[in-house]
Short mmCIF file of all heavy atoms in Angstrom, two decimals:
data_model
loop_
_atom_site.label_atom_id
_atom_site.label_comp_id
_atom_site.label_asym_id
_atom_site.label_seq_id
_atom_site.Cartn_x
_atom_site.Cartn_y
_atom_site.Cartn_z
N ARG X 116 -59.15 -9.95 3.69
CA ARG X 116 -60.30 -9.93 2.79
C ARG X 116 -61.15 -8.67 3.00
O ARG X 116 -61.68 -8.12 2.03
CB ARG X 116 -61.14 -11.19 2.99
CG ARG X 116 -60.45 -12.47 2.54
CD ARG X 116 -61.40 -13.65 2.57
NE ARG X 116 -60.72 -14.89 2.25
CZ ARG X 116 -61.32 -16.05 2.08
NH1 ARG X 116 -62.64 -16.14 2.22
NH2 ARG X 116 -60.62 -17.14 1.80
N LEU X 117 -61.30 -8.26 4.25
CA LEU X 117 -62.03 -7.02 4.50
C LEU X 117 -61.33 -5.84 3.84
O LEU X 117 -61.98 -4.97 3.25
CB LEU X 117 -62.19 -6.79 6.01
CG LEU X 117 -63.13 -7.74 6.75
CD1 LEU X 117 -63.03 -7.51 8.26
CD2 LEU X 117 -64.57 -7.57 6.29
N ALA X 118 -60.00 -5.80 3.95
CA ALA X 118 -59.24 -4.71 3.33
C ALA X 118 -59.35 -4.75 1.81
O ALA X 118 -59.25 -3.71 1.15
CB ALA X 118 -57.77 -4.80 3.76
N ALA X 119 -59.58 -5.95 1.26
CA ALA X 119 -59.72 -6.08 -0.19
C ALA X 119 -61.12 -5.73 -0.68
O ALA X 119 -61.37 -5.75 -1.90
CB ALA X 119 -59.36 -7.50 -0.62
N GLY X 120 -62.03 -5.43 0.25
CA GLY X 120 -63.35 -4.97 -0.14
C GLY X 120 -64.49 -5.93 0.10
O GLY X 120 -65.65 -5.60 -0.17
N GLU X 121 -64.21 -7.12 0.64
CA GLU X 121 -65.29 -8.04 0.95
C GLU X 121 -66.01 -7.58 2.22
O GLU X 121 -65.43 -6.92 3.08
CB GLU X 121 -64.76 -9.46 1.16
CG GLU X 121 -64.23 -10.12 -0.10
CD GLU X 121 -63.86 -11.57 0.13
OE1 GLU X 121 -64.70 -12.32 0.68
OE2 GLU X 121 -62.73 -11.96 -0.24
N SER X 122 -67.28 -7.93 2.31
CA SER X 122 -68.04 -7.63 3.53
C SER X 122 -67.77 -8.70 4.57
O SER X 122 -67.30 -9.81 4.25
CB SER X 122 -69.54 -7.57 3.23
OG SER X 122 -70.02 -8.86 2.90
N LEU X 123 -68.11 -8.40 5.82
CA LEU X 123 -67.95 -9.39 6.87
C LEU X 123 -68.82 -10.62 6.60
O LEU X 123 -68.41 -11.75 6.88
CB LEU X 123 -68.30 -8.78 8.23
CG LEU X 123 -68.04 -9.64 9.46
CD1 LEU X 123 -66.58 -10.05 9.56
CD2 LEU X 123 -68.48 -8.90 10.73
N THR X 124 -70.00 -10.40 6.02
CA THR X 124 -70.86 -11.53 5.66
C THR X 124 -70.19 -12.41 4.61
O THR X 124 -70.18 -13.64 4.73
CB THR X 124 -72.22 -11.03 5.14
OG1 THR X 124 -72.89 -10.33 6.18
CG2 THR X 124 -73.09 -12.19 4.66
N GLU X 125 -69.64 -11.80 3.59
CA GLU X 125 -68.97 -12.57 2.54
C GLU X 125 -67.79 -13.36 3.09
O GLU X 125 -67.58 -14.53 2.76
CB GLU X 125 -68.50 -11.65 1.42
CG GLU X 125 -69.64 -11.05 0.60
CD GLU X 125 -69.20 -9.94 -0.34
OE1 GLU X 125 -68.18 -9.26 -0.04
OE2 GLU X 125 -69.87 -9.74 -1.37
N VAL X 126 -67.02 -12.74 3.97
CA VAL X 126 -65.88 -13.43 4.57
C VAL X 126 -66.36 -14.59 5.43
O VAL X 126 -65.85 -15.71 5.33
CB VAL X 126 -65.04 -12.46 5.41
CG1 VAL X 126 -63.94 -13.21 6.15
CG2 VAL X 126 -64.44 -11.36 4.54
N SER X 127 -67.38 -14.34 6.26
CA SER X 127 -67.87 -15.36 7.18
C SER X 127 -68.46 -16.54 6.43
O SER X 127 -68.22 -17.71 6.78
CB SER X 127 -68.91 -14.76 8.13
OG SER X 127 -68.36 -13.71 8.87
N GLU X 128 -69.25 -16.27 5.40
CA GLU X 128 -69.84 -17.36 4.63
C GLU X 128 -68.78 -18.11 3.83
O GLU X 128 -68.88 -19.33 3.65
CB GLU X 128 -70.94 -16.82 3.73
CG GLU X 128 -72.14 -16.31 4.52
CD GLU X 128 -73.39 -16.10 3.68
OE1 GLU X 128 -73.27 -15.53 2.57
OE2 GLU X 128 -74.47 -16.49 4.14
#
Side-chain angles (χ1 to χ4, degrees):
R116 292 188 185 186
L117 290 172
E121 292 186 50
S122 68
L123 186 59
T124 297
E125 291 169 333
V126 175
S127 301
E128 292 195 316

